[in-house]
Structures are given as structure tokens and as C-alpha cells.
Amino acid sequence: MYFLIVLIICLGTSLSVTDNRRLIYPASNKQLQTLVKLLIEEVAENSRCIVSMVDTYYRRKVDISQIKANKFLPTYRVLIRENEEFSPPRRRLLRILKESKHLGCDVYLIMMANGLQVASLLRYAEEERLMNVQGKFLFVYDFRIFHVEMLYLWNRIINVIFIRRYVEFKRRSSNRQLQKYEWYDLNTIPFPARKKGLIVTRYIDTWYQNRFRYGINHFTAKTDDLRRQKLQVAVFEHVPAVTEDAQAYYKSQKDVGSNSKPLGIEFEMILIIANALNFKPYFYQPDNIQTERWGDSKNDTYTGLFGEAKEGKAVFYLGDLHYTSRHIQILDLSWPYNTECLTFLTLESLTENSWKLLILPFRLNTWLAVLFTLVFACATSFVFSRFYMRHVNVGENNDSDARKVFSKSKTMKVLEKRPVQAEEWKGLYLFTDPQNSVLYTYSMLLQVSLPSLPRAWSLRVFIGWWWIFSILIAVTYRASMTATLANAIDRVTIDTIPELGKSNVAVGSWNDETREFFINSSDPYLQKLSRRYVVTKDEQSALAAVANGTLCYYENVYVLQRERVKRQILEDELQKNGSQGKHKFQDHNLHIMEECVVNMPISLGMDKHSPLKHHVDKLVKRIIEAGFVEKWLSDITQQSKILELRGEGIADKALIDLDKLQGAVVALGIGYLFSLLALAAETWHWRYIVMRHPNFNKYRMDLFYKRM
């Protein structure tokens, strides 16, 4: 009986509480449902699809199927569990995020009671690029998603509305029961996001009693006019993006005004973009940027300019960034504004061939023609001499016949005729022997006169024309040798990748990305260069190594031209001061390889998922079409071009010194060498062949030679 009394009392109490609740909380869910419906319908006309992620609590409050826009827009619905984790998420959620991103969904309804879950989901989806951060987002207001660590995220997700619920209880004088007044404030985050303990939000509108207070467009464009707000711009000085002359402006943050010095392509572009979007750029250099430059990855952390981009410290990043897949994963890149030739700075090799001075005047085919003509002339003179000896009976046998004729003849007329005929064939002995024929024919080519001129007219005519040929060859040889001595030493340069691959010189640059590029390249020569690649952070040490011939430096052609000009200026200063050693720089000039390893597109760097990318791309295209990039590039390279033209106008002085007379010493040395070899051969022949002959008698050498 007692149990039944207690049960009746409890039921009565619960009924009274239920009745009171109906009085205190009238139609609380309908306001939120109507608010979400109107906000989604506001952006549904320009949207492709909707992604709805709600937990069990808000699933009872907001029914996405009751929204009119849902009937003609594809919708992804995801129920988030209370204990769900997002690093990584479950497969079904991950598949939905990928498909929605692929289809271009740009409306996200995320309503969860746990703000930590929301923060975890946004971090993972943004890092893996699983959400369209340029879309429209609806969140439930929760202070835990406004932590300072989320600042970088709210600089990327800017089209966002936070629904904040307010409840107030009032008691009317005529009624003892409490009445609940419920309304919703709509807040957003300005761009760029700012912090003040937590991230600062901005009020937009209020929803009360199923109507808006202002009724304006709640998803307004925040990037069309930035209202002179300061945006951080990280700078890494690298020609032609940013020059050294720009330091005076971004270190003091003063206005450029009417500056006449080239400040760099990207520096000038940022000034134009800032004027168009109405913001004030705040330039700064990250710590250790001169040594770290772009930066490297160490234990999943980045240094240098990439480290600033990973932490989201700036909106723009200037540093001559290459448009590569690796860079796109770290930050956003604008439309490429220029294409740079990446190549090598090498050392010119000198062709020190003064030891070949005697053969330099003629080429190989000319020498072959001269040698062939000499052999032909020697053979011809020998044949003419032997012909007269045999068929005209001139020689020793003819002398004996003359004596016989002289003794037998009875008339004085014959005695006088035969000696006169013998006198006409005098001088044939110069060419009757093969050795003498070669010696005297060669001596005429060297313009050495003969001991006596043969009396045979056919041989005289041949020798006359041979003299004409010898004079032409000698004059040509002398003129060519004079030109060889007067010209500067030829320089051998490396202008192609195969030539560089065949050399043994190491290659290097200031980042490790180049090594990976060479390794992954399909060019076998680049793969070969990757095995000789070294990373050098100090540019001056690298240039000194190039000057020593131990390194080929890899950079864009504008940096290489600037460094070559700097070295030329240093050389001129040392020459004026008299402190330069002889031929320290002049003998080995720096040379830029003509073939480009790759023509790399260059872009402006922006924060990852930057909301300004669309505006920046449009402005960059207009700047390119207007010709400003070419004009700025011409201004930057003007000084280098002027100095290079001056260097080309000054011809190298060719001095006749002992170095260029090495050929004479070499020729004399070769002559001495062959003479010694001939002497050794004759000595060996005398001792081991002649002296061992059975008829050899050193006291009667005349008999020995007659028997031989």
C-alpha cells in the first residue's frame, strides 16, 4: 500500500514538471531549425552540394531533410559520434570528405556540442585538403574553437557564421511562472583574424521570433576591400624576386615613393596588389633566413621561409619560389609570372697549346696535303735524275767514254765537244740518291738554297715551280703563325648537360631539392650529376670553389649573371689597387652554361588555402599583360648587361712571351731526341753488326768497304 502511494506522488510530480517545461520552453527547436533553413537557402542558389555533419544532440534540433534547398541540391549527411576521433577519421567519413571535395561542395553545416571535436576535424581536413575552405560554413558557437592555436585556420576559413544561442528568463507581474526568451546571434571572424586572449569575432545579425534583426546578406565578401589592414609579408632576398635595394624600405617600413632603383619583381607586385586590395603590407625577414633560405625539413618541422608558411605567420611569401608539387603542399602559389632558366656557373678552361706552336698555323688536312706534295716532289726529282743517268748516259761511265773518245779521236773538234756535253749535266748528283733527293727537296721548301743548280732543263723547270710552291707555303705559314701568336688563348667552355656530365667537376647549390630533382629525372646525365651533388649554404664559398675549378654552381641565370659581374668588379678593383696577383682571375673567367637544365615557372607564395588567391591570380595576370614584369626584369638585369658589354668590348691583349714560344723549345727538344736515338742506333749497328762481320778489319777499312 505504501509503495502505491509513493508511485502516485512521483507520477504527479513528473506531470507537473512536464507541464511547467511546456510553459517555460515553447517551440525552442523550431527557431534553430528555421534559422538554419534560411541561412542555407541564402547560399543554395550558387552552391553545388551540401555537407551536413551533426552529432546526436543537434540531430534532434535540426532536421536537414526539412530544408527546401535540400530537395534539389545533393547532400552528404554524416552523424558524428560523441567519442569519434579525426586523426584519421573513419573510412566512411573520409570517403565522404574526399567525394564532396571532388564534386566541389561549398556549403558545410557542422553542428556539434563538443567544440574540441570540431577543432580536431577542421585541423585534419584542412591539413589533408579534404574541405573546400573557400566555401560557406555554419558552426555552433563554442569558445573552444577560438583558441589562439586556431588562428591560422580562421585566416583560411573566412566565409563562416557562428550561431550563438542566448536564453533569458523573465517573470511577468501578472504571472508567477518564468517565461523563457530565446534568440540567436550570428557572428563571424574578420579577415585577417586577430586575437585578444581568444580569437576576436564580429557581430553580424540577430535571429529572434523567427525573423532577422537586419535581414542583410550574411555571407559578405571580406577580401574585396581590406580597409588598410596590415598583412604580414615574409621576405627572402633573391634576384630577381627581391633585390638588396629593397632592404631600405621593408626594414624601415617607409613608403617607396618615387624610387628609381629596382626593388625586385615580387616586391613591386606586392605593392600593386596592396593598392588594389587596399591593405598595407608589413615586410619582414624571418630569423636565419640568410642561411636557411627556403628551409629544409627536419623531424617533420621546417625552417626558413617554409617554416614561416607552415606556422601561418604571414599572408605572402616572397622568395623566387618555384612552381613545384613540393612547394604547393606547403603553401599556395599564385599564377606563374615568369619562367627562369636554371643552369650552371662553370669555369672556363684555357687551351694552353703553345707547345704545338709549329703545327698550329695549318690544320690537319693542310698538313696532309703539304706532306703529300713533298713526297711527290722528292719522288719526281729522283725519277728525273735517274732518267738522265740511264738514258742520256751521263755519269761516271760517260766520263770514261769521254776519255776513250779523247784518246782515239784525231780531230780537235771532238776533243772539245765531249767535255762541254758533260758540263751540261752537272748537279744531277743532288737528286740521284733517294736520301739526298728528300733532303734537298725539303730544304727548298724551307727556303734553303741548293749547293748547285742542275743543268738538266726539265729538272730546272720542275725546281722553279717547286720554288714558287715553296714561297706560297712559306708565306701562308708565316702569316698564320703571326696570327696565332697575336690571337688570345682559346677558351673551352661547358655549354651542355652531356659535357658537364662527362666532366669530373662536382655540382652544387644551396638546397637539397635540386638533388631530388636530378635523382628523379629521366635524363641519365642529370642522374649522374646527382651523385656528385653537394649542398653549399655559403654562396661566396661556392663561387670561390667555382673560380678554383672544383664546383659548378646551380642557380637561375639572373643570379649567376649578378655574381659574375660582382667578380668582375672585384677584379677591376684589385687591379686598380695593385693587390691582384698576375693572371689570378683573367686566366680563368666564370662562364654561364648556355643550355638550361629546366625552365622553371616562378610564383608568388601565399598562405596555404589563402582566401586571397583568386584576387591575386587575377591581378598577376593583369600585371603580366601590361608588361610590368618584363620592364622590372629589364631594370634588374640592366647593370649586369652593361658591365658584360664593357667586358666584351675590351679585347684580350695577346703578349708574345716565353710561354708562347714553347713550340720552338719543343721542336728543338724533339730534334735532340731523334738525334740521340739516331746516334744510339748507329752505335749499336757499328758494334753489333759491323764489328762482328768476318771481313772486318779496322786497319784496312777501304778493303772492307770494297768487299761489302
Side-chain angles (χ1 to χ4, degrees):
M1 188 67 180
Y2 177 76
F3 176 75
L4 292 175
I5 295 172
V6 173
L7 181 60
I8 292 171
I9 294 173
C10 291
L11 289 174
T13 305
S14 62
L15 289 173
S16 63
V17 172
T18 303
D19 293 339
N20 291 335
R21 284 181 179 176
R22 289 176 181 174
L23 293 174
I24 296 175
Y25 305 108
S28 60
N29 291 345
K30 292 184 178 179
Q31 289 199 55
L32 182 59
Q33 172 76 22
T34 307
L35 173 60
V36 173
K37 173 186 175 183
L38 292 177
L39 290 176
I40 291 179
E41 290 178 352
E42 183 179 328
V43 296
E45 293 183 1
N46 300 322
S47 301
R48 294 185 177 181
C49 61
I50 303 173
V51 179
S52 172
M53 290 183 283
V54 297
D55 58 6
T56 55
Y57 176 76
Y58 282 100
R59 184 182 183 184
R60 297 191 299 266
K61 293 179 174 294
V62 178
D63 188 3
I64 190 68
S65 62
Q66 299 299 323
I67 299 176
K68 183 178 179 181
N70 185 46
K71 296 180 180 179
F72 61 88
L73 275 180
T75 303
Y76 290 92
R77 301 179 189 177
V78 182
L79 178 62
I80 304 298
R81 303 166 186 169
E82 294 179 356
N83 60 346
E84 189 158 0
E85 296 181 356
F86 302 100
S87 54
R90 50 193 166 96
R91 292 183 179 178
R92 183 172 180 273
L93 176 58
L94 185 61
R95 186 176 68 254
I96 289 175
L97 290 175
K98 290 182 178 179
E99 289 181 2
S100 62
K101 176 66 181 299
H102 179 71
L103 292 176
C105 293
D106 51 0
V107 176
Y108 293 86
L109 175 63
I110 303 175
M111 305 188 75
M112 304 180 196
N114 189 349
L116 297 178
Q117 277 187 316
V118 177
S120 177
L121 171 64
L122 293 178
R123 285 197 189 99
Y124 180 81
E126 189 275 335
E127 180 66 25
E128 299 297 329
R129 295 181 182 261
L130 298 176
M131 282 186 176
N132 181 11
V133 296
Q134 307 302 326
K136 280 80 173 178
F137 289 79
L138 288 176
F139 292 97
V140 176
Y141 187 94
D142 192 325
F143 73 93
R144 288 173 291 186
I145 63 178
F146 300 109
H147 195 270
V148 177
E149 295 179 355
M150 299 285 289
L151 179 66
Y152 79 96
L153 195 62
W154 299 122
N155 275 325
R156 300 169 183 178
I157 303 176
I158 62 172
N159 297 317
V160 56
I161 290 180
F162 301 97
I163 303 174
R164 188 172 188 177
R165 179 172 175 263
Y166 288 92
V167 177
E168 185 179 4
F169 295 91
K170 290 184 179 181
R171 187 190 302 272
R172 292 184 178 180
S173 58
S174 61
N175 193 352
R176 294 183 179 180
Q177 292 182 343
L178 292 175
Q179 295 292 329
K180 186 183 84 166
Y181 296 90
E182 181 181 4
W183 72 93
Y184 295 88
D185 279 354
L186 304 183
N187 298 295
T188 188
I189 295 178
F191 179 81
R194 303 187 182 278
K195 59 183 178 179
K196 194 173 182 180
L198 295 176
I199 298 175
V200 179
T201 61
R202 188 180 67 192
Y203 167 80
I204 302 177
D205 205 345
T206 299
W207 174 259
Y208 180 65
Q209 293 182 352
N210 293 328
R211 65 179 181 179
F212 288 111
R213 181 179 181 182
Y214 298 108
I216 59 175
N217 182 17
H218 301 98
F219 289 97
T220 58
K222 301 178 182 179
T223 57
D224 293 342
D225 185 3
L226 297 178
R227 301 178 181 180
R228 300 300 297 170
Q229 297 188 75
K230 288 185 179 181
L231 299 186
Q232 300 283 340
V233 181
V235 178
F236 161 51
E237 291 181 7
H238 194 269
V239 175
V242 182
T243 63
E244 296 177 354
D245 296 326
Q247 288 185 5
Y249 299 98
Y250 66 76
K251 286 187 176 181
S252 61
Q253 300 300 326
K254 63 181 181 180
D255 191 13
V256 175
S258 58
N259 175 66
S260 59
K261 296 182 179 179
L263 305 178
I265 298 177
E266 295 183 5
F267 195 90
E268 298 281 2
M269 290 175 69
I270 285 294
L271 296 179
I272 293 179
I273 294 172
N275 188 30
L277 299 181
N278 194 22
F279 69 87
K280 185 177 181 181
Y282 182 83
F283 300 96
Y284 77 97
Q285 273 191 326
D287 297 334
N288 301 324
I289 191 64
Q290 297 299 332
T291 56
E292 297 295 337
R293 305 192 181 215
W294 285 347
D296 297 323
S297 175
K298 300 176 181 178
N299 299 326
D300 295 333
T301 59
Y302 285 84
T303 59
L305 201 64
F306 290 158
E308 298 289 306
K310 272 292 185 180
E311 297 177 5
K313 292 184 177 180
V315 179
F316 293 96
Y317 301 91
L318 311 184
D320 205 50
L321 296 171
H322 297 170
Y323 199 95
T324 61
S325 58
R326 180 176 183 268
H327 292 180
I328 292 176
Q329 294 176 359
I330 301 173
L331 39 72
D332 276 357
L333 297 175
S334 69
W335 183 271
Y337 64 85
N338 190 24
T339 302
E340 292 180 354
C341 171
L342 302 182
T343 185
F344 287 94
L345 182 66
T346 62
L347 185 68
E348 291 182 347
S349 300
L350 300 179
T351 57
E352 183 55 43
N353 53 2
S354 297
W355 61 275
K356 298 188 294 184
L357 179 63
L358 295 179
I359 62 175
L360 285 178
F362 289 160
R363 295 182 179 179
L364 178 61
N365 54 354
T366 307
W367 279 117
L368 292 177
V370 171
L371 291 177
F372 175 78
T373 307
L374 177 62
V375 172
F376 178 77
C378 295
T380 303
S381 59
F382 174 73
V383 169
F384 281 173
S385 300
R386 299 298 295 181
F387 177 81
Y388 278 103
M389 180 182 290
R390 291 183 180 182
H391 298 284
V392 189
N393 295 324
V394 178
E396 295 181 357
N397 294 331
N398 294 357
D399 292 341
S400 60
D401 294 340
R403 285 191 291 269
K404 292 178 182 179
V405 171
F406 177 77
S407 60
K408 294 180 181 180
S409 178
K410 297 180 180 179
T411 62
M412 196 65 183
K413 185 177 180 179
V414 177
L415 292 175
E416 293 178 356
K417 187 176 181 180
R418 299 296 287 176
V420 172
Q421 186 179 5
E423 186 69 18
E424 291 180 357
W425 313 121
K426 183 179 179 181
L428 286 178
Y429 71 92
L430 298 176
F431 302 99
T432 55
D433 187 66
Q435 298 177 358
N436 290 337
S437 177
V438 172
L439 179 62
Y440 288 116
T441 305
Y442 178 62
S443 65
M444 285 189 291
L445 186 61
L446 297 180
Q447 294 187 336
V448 178
S449 60
L450 295 174
S452 61
L453 188 63
R455 294 297 182 93
W457 279 102
S458 60
L459 197 57
R460 282 190 174 192
V461 172
F462 175 76
I463 292 174
W465 286 105
W466 178 250
W467 276 344
I468 295 175
F469 172 79
S470 300
I471 291 172
L472 294 176
I473 291 296
V475 170
T476 306
Y477 183 83
R478 288 176 181 177
S480 181
M481 178 173 288
T482 303
T484 302
L485 293 173
N487 289 333
I489 299 175
D490 293 335
R491 301 179 183 273
V492 178
T493 58
I494 298 175
D495 289 319
T496 61
I497 297 176
E499 290 177 359
L500 183 61
K502 293 177 183 178
S503 66
N504 296 324
V505 184
V507 299
S509 186
W510 49 265
N511 61 64
D512 205 36
E513 292 182 23
T514 306
R515 188 205 304 271
E516 298 177 2
F517 170 70
F518 288 171
I519 292 174
N520 298 327
S521 175
S522 59
D523 191 338
Y525 292 104
L526 291 181
Q527 295 178 0
K528 184 178 180 181
L529 292 177
S530 66
R531 295 189 287 270
R532 306 202 306 258
Y533 187 86
V534 294
V535 178
T536 170
K537 295 291 185 180
D538 188 2
E539 195 171 71
Q540 298 303 321
S541 300
L543 294 175
V546 174
N548 294 331
T550 58
L551 182 70
C552 295
Y553 192 57
Y554 182 78
E555 251 293 359
N556 70 64
V557 66
Y558 307 110
V559 173
L560 300 182
Q561 288 176 354
R562 184 197 63 173
E563 296 302 331
R564 186 171 63 177
V565 167
K566 284 184 177 180
R567 195 163 188 85
Q568 183 178 351
I569 294 174
L570 176 61
E571 174 189 348
D572 296 338
E573 291 178 355
L574 292 177
Q575 286 180 347
K576 292 178 181 178
N577 298 332
S579 59
Q580 179 183 4
K582 185 179 180 181
H583 305 300
K584 185 174 182 181
F585 296 137
Q586 286 183 345
D587 286 354
H588 299 280
N589 293 333
L590 301 183
H591 174 73
I592 299 175
M593 195 173 76
E594 292 184 359
E595 182 180 3
C596 298
V597 177
V598 61
N599 290 306
M600 182 63 68
I602 308 298
S603 301
L604 282 173
M606 291 174 286
D607 189 24
K608 191 176 180 180
H609 294 142
S610 174
L612 300 176
K613 188 178 186 309
H614 175 70
H615 297 289
V616 172
D617 287 346
K618 186 184 298 183
L619 291 171
V620 167
K621 292 178 182 179
R622 292 179 180 177
I623 291 172
I624 296 172
E625 293 171 357
F628 285 115
V629 174
E630 295 182 1
K631 191 265 180 186
W632 294 329
L633 187 60
S634 177
D635 293 342
I636 293 170
T637 59
Q638 183 178 8
Q639 182 181 7
S640 301
K641 292 180 180 179
I642 291 175
L643 292 177
E644 285 183 354
L645 291 174
R646 290 179 181 175
E648 292 177 359
I650 301 175
D652 294 335
K653 295 181 180 179
L655 301 177
I656 307 299
D657 51 9
L658 291 178
D659 293 338
K660 286 200 171 184
L661 296 179
Q662 294 178 14
V665 179
V666 171
L668 187 61
I670 293 174
Y672 285 156
L673 177 63
F674 279 105
S675 299
L676 292 176
L677 292 176
L679 177 61
E682 289 181 353
T683 304
W684 180 86
H685 182 269
W686 176 262
R687 289 185 178 181
Y688 295 99
I689 295 179
V690 176
M691 294 182 65
R692 292 183 181 184
H693 197 276
N695 296 328
F696 177 75
N697 187 352
K698 65 178 181 179
Y699 300 105
R700 299 297 303 273
M701 296 298 295
D702 53 344
L703 296 176
F704 172 74
Y705 284 115
K706 284 184 179 181
R707 294 173 182 175
M708 290 292 291

